[in-house]
Amino acid sequence: MLRVLTCLAYEHNYWYVLVAAIVCVAGSMMTMGLFDRARQLQGSNRLVWVLLSGMAGGTAIWTTHFVAMLGFDPPTGYTYEPTLTLASLAIAMVFTAAGLHLAAAGGPTFMIEAGGAVIGLGIAAMHFTGMAGLQVAGHVEWAADLVVASVVLGVLLATLAVNRCARVSTVRGQTLGAGLLVLAICSMHFTAMGAATFVPGPSFGLLPQAFSSELVAISVMAILSVVAGLGLYVIDARSRREVLDGFRHAALHDALTGMPNRAHLASHLPDVLKACAAEEGKVAVIVMDLDRFKDVNDVHGHRAGDALLQALAARLGETMRVGEFVARAGGDEFVAVKQGVDGASDALEFARRLVGCISLPVVRQERSFSVGASLGVSLYPSDARDADELIGVADLAMYRAKRQAGNKICFYDHSMDEGRRARSALTMELNGAIERDELTLYYQPQIAVATGEVIGFEALLRWNHPHRGLVLPGEFIPIAEETGLILPIGEWVLRSACAEAARWAKPLKLSVNIAAAQLSQSDLSRIVHEALIETGLPPARLELEITEASIIDDLHGTLQILRQLKLLGVAIAMDDYGTGYASLSTLQKFPFDKIKIDRSFVEGVGTDRASTAIVKATILLANSLDITVLAEGVERQEHLDFLREQGCSEVQGYLFGRPQPASEIAGLVDGRARTGNERRPSRSAYTEIFQPPALARSVAF
Ligand code: C2E
Ligand code: MG
Ligand code: MG
């Protein structure tokens, strides 16, 4: 130890030691920085950065050694033998690059530490090769213990340096690594220098090609500048390329899921079609839209929705095989492409694989989410020949799949175009249907289970189409919702139904359906208020039916509007209960007066175990929350018997009466027939002929 300190204190020029230290610190930091970058890359990219860090590290080691040597003042004259001097530089670079290469690939194994040890050995090998190239006037005697100590120190500290940099993947780890590498280089160098005793002897014959100290100084600076310049150039060039690659990647990939995006699809699909056209091959294009995704987003929050999309994207990516491609086209819509399909069965197999991926539940924070998907498939070249058209017709097929219950994979066929044309014609015709007096209201009775008496009516909209006859709301309400026409139509329904009910002799209840768009109208309570005042219908007789889906759209806003409506004195019913994503907390938060169990559940009571259980549980729940429960779609006596047994208080369905024009329920509402001459809310020509109410007399209460 004393020998090492004496060597450092008395035999070195401090200025050179200081320069050596600066070079060593800067070089070590650069080496660790480059190494950290290399670890994040793969394949040839990683190799380039490992070589670069090997060169930087090797040069740092070598330069530190030779700058320190320039400040070394041995008691003998000396020069440098050029081959060994340059070989020592090569050794430093090769060992450092090899060590970093091992360490960059290392994970949980000891490869990282092995890499560090190789670098430590490299420092020692460089040092002793450099010293072998030192021509002294006399000879050098080595203290074996200090030589061993210098090697051990170099290896241990370099191992620790790489260990910290690689295993603590932060700036702190990198800085610690660089500091330890500086210690490894310096402690190895000065311990080894302390091990050497220069014994003066007869002066040696100067080698013709020997380097003087000055020449070594110039060479060191030149090599340092070349390596630093080269390093900076490569870093700059690669960084620029990486930035460009990054931009290109960002432009073609979706930020949330990392999947190819719509732009990528738009450039990929035409290429695939061109290639397949040349080989006369077929291509399948599949448009997928997630079912119930909006519910996950609304009920569990956007983070859950994002996590679900990311998990599904990862699964879809993993399931892709050669010739297959999948992109996120936006929102919850994905488009998949498969080239070289044999025909429909091949495309169907691909579509089923995609459905399989999507329908598996995704677990996040101990909660399991699952969604379904509706898929539309189009085939090239039979369905369309152009990329946009292929996606367009697959989209049409997807909408068909969405509307169908059960079948979630739909192949495009030409009849769908006719459907699309008919739909857009209907959209145009619906515009102005109120003015042309084509809308009319039908009324369906609602019955008290206990007494069998009619207690109210639900107003159901019909469209008297000039050519198509009576069009049911299922066909035109979605169009009205899409186009915004639902607002004037909804207002017309409300005013007309209130006017009709106000004329009933019996104070029966009136139920009016309210669409989601109407609920998000901030002045809905004003419209309802006006309708009540204009028609004179007491608020207690009016009930507004809203669906679960329309509440979920905007929980807070809807709650505000429902409270205003309740203040008017009207009742609120939850329609189609069980078909949406209503949680029990929705029932607790919203001021519902009634729950209407959807007819899809009532249909299955007694035959389907799940439906029976849902109906039973809903009645139990509603009764314990003091909410009236009405079962929709009661068609058979067994339904009624079951519902009464379970404690259901109200029923509605074909068993008691179908929806009928106002004129035909006259007997139920005031016991006399309508003449058709009284003032009506609409100018519709109702059937003039009185028919006895369709309430089935045979129903056993
Ligand atoms: P909803 O409000 O659930 O109305 C009940 C639907 O079930 C009605 O269909 C009715 O005719 C039908 N229904 C009643 N009992 C039975 C039965 O025993 N068996 C069967 N198979 N069906 C039964 P409709 O009139 O076709 O109306 C369908 C939907 O259109 C309504 O469902 C409602 O969501 C919507 N709708 C109707 N009128 C309006 C309206 O004025 N405004 C809004 N926003 N939506 C409306
Ligand atoms: Mg309803
Ligand atoms: Mg309903």
Side-chain angles (χ1 to χ4, degrees):
M1 189 67 187
L2 190 65
R3 176 70 202 103
V4 175
L5 292 175
T6 315
C7 166
L8 182 60
Y10 298 113
E11 294 167 15
H12 281 83
N13 176 321
Y14 295 152
W15 288 111
Y16 281 102
V17 172
L18 184 68
V19 174
I22 292 171
V23 169
C24 188
V25 169
S28 299
M29 281 172 65
M30 189 165 163
T31 308
M32 285 304 170
L34 293 172
F35 169 59
D36 194 54
R37 181 87 181 81
R39 288 177 53 239
Q40 295 161 16
L41 301 169
Q42 296 295 328
S44 65
N45 268 346
R46 174 189 281 179
L47 201 64
V48 171
W49 285 83
V50 161
L51 287 178
L52 206 61
S53 42
M55 279 171 74
T59 313
I61 296 165
W62 188 80
T63 315
T64 308
H65 172 86
F66 277 97
V67 173
M69 285 303 288
L70 289 172
F72 179 58
D73 186 21
T76 61
Y78 65 94
T79 57
Y80 295 93
E81 195 280 315
T83 316
L84 284 172
T85 302
L86 290 177
S88 67
L89 172 64
I91 286 172
M93 287 183 177
V94 168
F95 270 78
T96 312
L100 293 177
H101 181 63
L102 275 183
T109 60
F110 287 110
M111 292 288 268
I112 289 174
E113 287 70 22
V118 169
I119 296 173
L121 285 174
I123 300 171
M126 177 269 134
H127 183 93
F128 292 113
T129 311
M131 290 302 284
L134 195 69
Q135 305 280 305
V136 293
H139 69 275
V140 182
E141 284 176 3
W142 294 97
D145 52 347
L146 283 180
V147 168
V148 172
S150 71
V151 177
V152 170
L153 268 177
V155 170
L156 276 182
L157 287 167
T159 304
L160 212 56
V162 177
N163 166 291
R164 288 301 78 194
C165 181
R167 303 231 182 254
V168 185
S169 292
T170 56
V171 178
R172 208 172 135 253
Q174 225 183 77
T175 318
L176 206 60
L180 284 162
L181 187 61
V182 170
L183 275 183
I185 297 170
C186 294
S187 62
M188 192 278 139
H189 177 86
F190 290 109
T191 310
M193 290 310 288
T197 306
F198 289 77
V199 183
S203 62
F204 52 88
L206 205 62
L207 290 169
Q209 68 286 49
F211 285 177
S212 65
S213 290
E214 290 75 18
L215 192 57
V216 167
I218 292 167
S219 313
V220 166
M221 291 330 287
I223 289 171
L224 192 64
S225 321
V226 168
V227 170
L230 184 72
L232 287 176
Y233 170 76
V234 174
I235 289 169
D236 182 53
R238 293 197 74 82
S239 304
R240 214 174 312 158
R241 220 179 73 195
E242 274 170 20
V243 168
L244 280 178
D245 287 350
F247 276 137
R248 196 170 309 134
H249 189 272
L252 295 177
H253 291 81
D254 168 50
L256 177 69
T257 59
M259 282 182 113
N261 60 12
R262 189 177 275 281
H264 200 162
L265 173 72
S267 73
H268 175 80
L269 188 53
D271 290 346
V272 169
L273 298 184
K274 213 182 285 171
C276 281
E279 295 162 14
E280 297 192 358
K282 287 182 184 159
V283 180
V285 172
I286 301 184
V287 172
M288 296 177 268
D289 192 271
L290 301 185
D291 299 334
R292 302 188 304 278
F293 176 69
K294 193 174 176 312
D295 296 341
V296 172
N297 242 345
D298 292 339
V299 175
H300 300 287
H302 286 268
R303 274 169 194 248
D306 286 354
L308 184 90
L309 284 176
Q310 284 166 333
L312 295 186
R315 268 190 217 155
L316 287 171
E318 278 163 23
T319 198
M320 289 297 110
R321 298 177 188 161
V322 180
E324 296 173 355
F325 171 90
V326 64
R328 182 181 175 207
D332 60 349
E333 193 176 294
F334 299 86
V335 177
V337 176
K338 183 178 171 73
Q339 57 193 96
V341 288
D342 286 341
S345 62
D346 212 6
L348 184 64
E349 185 276 327
F350 180 43
R352 283 196 180 132
R353 185 147 44 88
L354 298 172
V355 172
C357 268
I358 292 172
S359 47
L360 282 177
V362 170
V363 179
R364 180 179 178 265
Q365 291 175 347
E366 292 172 11
R367 283 173 120 179
S368 172
F369 302 92
S370 63
V371 287
S374 303
L375 282 73
V377 189
S378 64
L379 292 171
Y380 170 88
S382 53
D383 294 337
R385 294 186 155 264
D386 158 63
D388 284 344
E389 235 179 286
L390 269 172
I391 296 175
V393 295
D395 220 32
L396 266 184
M398 186 276 288
Y399 278 112
R400 168 75 60 91
K402 251 217 165 19
R403 283 197 296 274
Q404 282 175 0
N407 188 9
K408 289 320 224 170
I409 302 173
C410 215
F411 279 72
Y412 167 77
D413 70 66
H414 295 287
S415 70
M416 288 178 190
D417 273 334
E418 286 150 28
R420 181 167 53 170
R421 272 195 289 276
R423 204 172 146 80
S424 45
L426 213 59
T427 309
M428 275 161 54
E429 288 161 356
L430 188 58
N431 210 341
I434 299 179
E435 289 73 23
R436 292 192 303 273
D437 201 16
E438 290 169 3
L439 297 183
T440 182
L441 287 172
Y442 274 40
Y443 296 86
Q444 186 177 30
Q446 296 177 333
I447 317 293
V449 174
T451 59
E453 277 174 16
V454 174
I455 48 168
F457 285 87
E458 177 174 3
L460 293 159
L461 188 58
R462 301 289 182 264
W463 180 11
N464 261 320
H465 191 276
H467 311 298
R468 299 179 53 186
L470 209 61
V471 184
L472 289 176
E475 213 173 323
F476 68 89
I477 291 269
I479 295 175
E481 282 177 336
E482 274 166 33
T483 53
L485 275 174
I486 193 68
L487 296 182
I489 290 179
E491 198 172 329
W492 177 88
V493 169
L494 192 70
R495 290 177 197 277
S496 312
C498 286
E500 183 62 39
R503 286 197 298 270
W504 298 340
K506 293 183 187 169
L508 298 174
K509 282 212 160 210
L510 167 76
S511 296
V512 175
N513 290 287
I514 299 290
Q518 287 176 274
L519 259 190
S520 40
Q521 257 182 314
S522 52
D523 60 349
L524 179 65
S525 59
R526 182 190 55 78
I527 295 171
V528 173
H529 195 196
E530 275 177 17
L532 292 170
I533 290 175
E534 269 173 26
T535 58
L537 183 75
R541 286 182 55 201
L542 179 63
E543 181 173 74
L544 302 177
E545 295 191 3
I546 61 172
T547 58
E548 299 165 58
S550 52
I551 309 168
I552 282 164
D553 276 349
D554 173 15
L555 281 168
H556 183 71
T558 310
L559 187 57
Q560 290 293 103
I561 292 172
L562 291 188
R563 285 201 179 120
Q564 290 168 5
L565 292 170
K566 290 276 288 182
L567 279 177
L568 292 178
V570 301
I572 310 288
M574 180 189 267
D575 204 358
D576 306 342
Y577 183 79
T579 54
Y581 213 105
S583 61
L584 296 180
S585 69
T586 320
L587 285 183
Q588 199 187 21
K589 270 191 212 133
F590 286 88
F592 290 109
D593 300 282
K594 188 183 280 183
I595 293 176
K596 296 186 75 176
I597 306 177
D598 192 67
R599 80 176 136 90
S600 56
F601 300 107
V602 176
E603 205 174 25
V605 292
T607 50
D608 178 64
R609 266 183 62 194
S611 299
T612 311
I614 289 169
V615 172
K616 263 187 185 179
T618 310
I619 296 172
L620 200 67
L621 178 74
N623 286 342
S624 49
L625 289 173
D626 276 336
I627 302 176
T628 309
V629 60
L630 180 147
E632 297 184 283
V634 179
E635 291 183 355
R636 298 206 305 272
Q637 185 68 44
E638 304 91 82
H639 292 161
L640 176 65
D641 295 341
F642 175 86
L643 291 162
R644 191 180 27 232
E645 204 177 295
Q646 297 305 320
C648 178
S649 43
E650 296 177 9
V651 281
Q652 177 181 346
Y654 292 171
L655 184 62
F656 316 101
R658 290 179 179 252
Q660 298 163 84
S663 56
E664 298 195 13
I665 58 162
L668 290 170
V669 296
D670 52 22
R672 64 185 169 82
R674 285 281 164 87
T675 60
N677 296 329
E678 311 138 40
R679 206 185 123 257
R680 287 280 165 85
S682 97
R683 284 164 280 142
S684 302
Y686 292 150
T687 314
E688 307 283 312
I689 311 148
F690 169 70
Q691 283 178 347
L695 180 64
R697 304 284 172 211
S698 58
V699 176
F701 280 94

